[in-house]
């Protein structure tokens, strides 16, 4: 008998990427969730080797131990959509040869809190993940929790790691979580790349690619949470909603209705679920395929390629479906193959006057990007630059 391939895989053309030789091999994906049943046959032979210290392929942040076994079912289902390899009969994974790191940040009742979520992200990066898939978030989070998660997501971006995060399933209950608070935190954190449509109200960046859900006909799922969001009431004070367009959320969408993946209650079963939680690991799997082709991709490049290769569902970036529904084949084809050679730039940069309060000049051969920081480390400005000299003004 031939293995079934689940329809979300073919909807995003992931099977056509496998024909090119990209299956996610060598890419370590951390699924930060309710834990994972790592004994499931479809996961068992591509789990992160944590050595003697982490024999169960990850960590349980909630209970502060080394056994991230799933006691809810959610994380196992999400892991299966990233990389379930079909050993038990149904091929559910977008990147079936990727490697899985299991991190438990939410309890069996579905709650975790900002500190546990942040801890799961940080633990993943500290232990070498290549990307994070996170189908969780806080509804109506308080300002302190929002700030914790945004600071964490900015730090994860600084580490060069992208996180795929679900927008949430509150689209139909806006009386409970009204716009601009309908998208969960941390999906409400900024993306690593600002779409041209966001340039009417730009702001700083973080590691988060926010993911909404569509059905098998590419229509938006009725439950998918809706942007925009704002950070004007926090310490960040950016992406003003009034006046302003806020921060457009989500960035992209993926199949999230009636998704078949792994059942956590045994080692060979499957079950169907709906949610932006099911859409997010689909996009994470696509990112794993992209990173196998070019491990040097930055979070900004990943986000931009996902957006620019998505099937457009609206003329401009939408607060329901983002730019559109992801297309794995188009995304991987847009990635330039990595040749393993990183050019070393030994050129010295001259900055004058230094220190400066308002304006200064940078001279350096081979510049591609300039980042300007305050003396206490806050990023003020990022400039794409291809010349050998750049005048920077208007910092005060």
């Amino acid at each position: 008998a031939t293995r079934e391939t689940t329809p979300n895989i073919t909807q995003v053309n992931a099977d056509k990427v496998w024909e090119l030789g990209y299956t996610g091999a060598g890419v370590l994906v951390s699924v930060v969730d309710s834990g994972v049943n790592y004994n499931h046959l479809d996961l068992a032979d591509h789990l992160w080797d944590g050595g003697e210290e982490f024999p169960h392929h990850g960590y349980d942040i909630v209970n502060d131990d080394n056994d991230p076994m799933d006691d809810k079912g959610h994380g196992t289902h999400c892991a299966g959509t990233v990389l379930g390899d079909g050993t038990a009969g149904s091929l559910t994974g977008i990147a079936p040869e990727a490697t899985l790191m299991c991190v438990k940040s939410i309890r069996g009742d579905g709650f975790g809190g900002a500190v546990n979520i942040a801890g799961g992200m940080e633990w993943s990066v500290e232990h070498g993940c290549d990307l994070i898939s996170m189908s969780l978030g806080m509804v109506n989070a308080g300002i302190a929790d929002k700030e914790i998660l945004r600071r964490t997501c900015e730090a994860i971006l600084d580490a060069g790691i992208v996180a795929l995060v679900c927008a949430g399933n509150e689209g139909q209950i806006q009386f409970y979580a009204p716009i601009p608070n309908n998208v969960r935190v941390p999906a409400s954190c900024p993306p690593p790349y600002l779409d041209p449509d966001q340039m009417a109200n730009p702001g700083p960046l973080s590691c988060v690619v926010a993911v909404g859900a569509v059905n098998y006909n590419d229509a938006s799922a009725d439950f998918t949470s809706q942007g925009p969001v704002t950070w004007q009431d926090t310490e960040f004070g950016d992406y003003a909603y009034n006046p302003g367009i806020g921060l457009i959320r989500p960035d992209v969408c993926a199949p999230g209705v009636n998704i078949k993946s792994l059942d956590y209650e045994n080692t060979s079963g499957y079950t169907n679920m709906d949610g932006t939680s099911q859409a997010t690991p689909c996009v994470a799997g696509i990112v794993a395929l992209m990173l196998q082709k070019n491990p040097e991709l930055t979070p900004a490049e990943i986000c931009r390629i996902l957006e620019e290769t998505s099937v457009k569902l609206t003329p401009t970036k939408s607060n329901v479906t983002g730019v559109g529904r992801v297309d794995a084949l188009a995304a991987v084809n847009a990635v330039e193959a990595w040749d393993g050679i990183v050019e070393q730039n030994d050129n010295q940069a001259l900055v004058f006057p230094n220190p400066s309060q308002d304006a200064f000049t940078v001279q350096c051969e081979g510049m591609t990007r300039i980042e300007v920081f305050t003396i206490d480390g806050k990023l003020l400005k990022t400039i794409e630059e291809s010349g050998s000299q750049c005048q920077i003004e208007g910092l005060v």
Side-chain angles (χ1 to χ4, degrees):
T2 57
R3 286 184 304 184
E4 168 202 19
T5 299
T6 54
N8 54 329
I9 289 174
T10 51
Q11 186 176 354
V12 300
N13 291 320
D15 52 327
K16 294 177 181 170
V17 178
W18 306 338
E19 294 171 9
L20 302 177
Y22 301 111
T23 53
V27 179
L28 179 57
V29 184
S30 178
V31 172
V32 178
D33 208 293
S34 62
V36 177
N37 181 355
Y38 41 76
N39 296 317
H40 199 290
L41 296 176
D42 288 8
L43 304 174
D45 63 350
H46 39 115
L47 295 162
W48 175 65
D49 182 359
E52 289 184 13
E53 191 177 3
F54 306 110
H56 302 296
H57 319 290
Y59 201 74
D60 179 345
I61 303 290
V62 176
N63 298 301
D64 195 22
D65 64 46
N66 68 11
D67 191 0
M69 179 52 78
D70 191 358
D71 55 2
K72 181 176 172 61
H74 193 269
T76 303
H77 197 272
C78 292
T81 297
V82 179
L83 45 74
D85 66 7
T87 299
S90 292
L91 184 53
T92 62
I94 301 292
E97 292 186 9
T99 304
L100 173 65
M101 176 184 279
C102 312
V103 178
K104 180 175 172 63
S105 276
I106 52 177
R107 306 190 303 257
D109 61 7
F111 292 93
V115 172
N116 284 339
I117 295 170
M121 299 181 80
E122 290 165 348
W123 192 94
S124 302
V125 172
E126 287 164 5
H127 291 84
C129 75
D130 295 313
L131 68 142
I132 295 169
S133 181
M134 199 158 71
S135 293
L136 53 81
M138 300 179 70
V139 183
N140 287 329
I143 287 177
D145 287 340
K146 289 179 69 174
E147 291 173 347
I148 286 169
L149 289 167
R150 169 109 176 234
R151 286 195 295 270
T152 301
C153 290
E154 290 185 350
I156 302 295
L157 177 66
D158 289 343
I161 302 297
V162 70
L164 297 306
V165 185
C166 70
N169 305 326
E170 284 69 49
Q172 286 182 299
I173 50 171
Q174 295 194 20
F175 61 89
Y176 173 63
I179 296 169
N181 295 304
N182 193 240
V183 172
R184 299 179 190 178
V185 190
S188 59
C189 292
Y193 158 77
L194 289 186
D195 186 89
D197 292 328
Q198 186 66 55
M199 287 309 180
N201 187 11
L205 308 174
S206 88
C207 69
V208 173
V209 175
V211 181
V214 292
N215 64 19
Y216 289 124
N217 297 315
D218 281 345
S220 63
D222 49 15
F223 54 74
T224 196
S225 287
Q226 298 176 23
V229 303
T230 182
W231 289 85
Q232 64 190 16
D233 303 327
T234 67
E235 68 182 44
F236 298 95
D238 47 26
Y239 295 109
Y241 179 57
N242 187 18
I245 63 169
L247 173 60
I248 304 169
R249 280 347 256 127
D251 298 305
V252 291
C253 57
V257 179
N258 199 26
I259 303 301
K260 183 176 184 178
S261 189
L262 312 187
D263 186 347
Y264 82 114
E265 292 184 305
N266 56 63
T267 60
S268 61
Y270 299 92
T271 188
N272 287 51
M273 292 188 183
D274 297 346
T276 57
S277 287
Q278 280 55 58
T280 298
C282 174
V283 184
I286 293 174
V287 173
L289 300 174
M290 295 164 66
L291 283 169
Q292 181 186 0
K293 186 173 181 183
N294 187 340
E296 297 297 304
L297 286 175
T298 66
E301 289 168 335
I302 290 166
C303 184
R304 182 173 183 171
I305 289 169
L306 286 172
E307 289 199 14
E308 291 182 349
T309 58
S310 286
V311 175
K312 297 249 180 305
L313 300 180
T314 49
T316 56
K317 189 172 183 179
S318 144
N319 280 301
V320 181
T321 53
V323 172
R325 192 259 300 149
V326 288
D327 182 327
L329 182 63
V332 170
N333 281 335
V335 173
E336 290 192 23
W338 184 55
D339 59 12
I341 298 169
V342 180
E343 289 186 18
Q344 188 68 33
N345 184 355
D346 294 323
N347 297 328
Q348 291 288 107
L350 297 175
V351 179
F352 52 91
N354 186 12
S356 165
Q357 285 199 314
D358 179 41
F360 61 93
T361 300
V362 179
Q363 273 186 356
C364 182
E365 293 297 327
M367 288 192 291
T368 56
R369 185 172 66 174
I370 298 169
E371 292 182 340
V372 182
F373 293 86
T374 62
I375 200 161
D376 59 359
K378 184 172 167 60
L379 180 64
L380 280 180
K381 199 174 234 184
T382 301
I383 300 139
E384 304 294 332
E385 174 59 54
S386 58
S388 58
Q389 180 164 314
C390 181
Q391 172 86 14
I392 297 168
E393 298 174 309
L395 298 175
V396 178

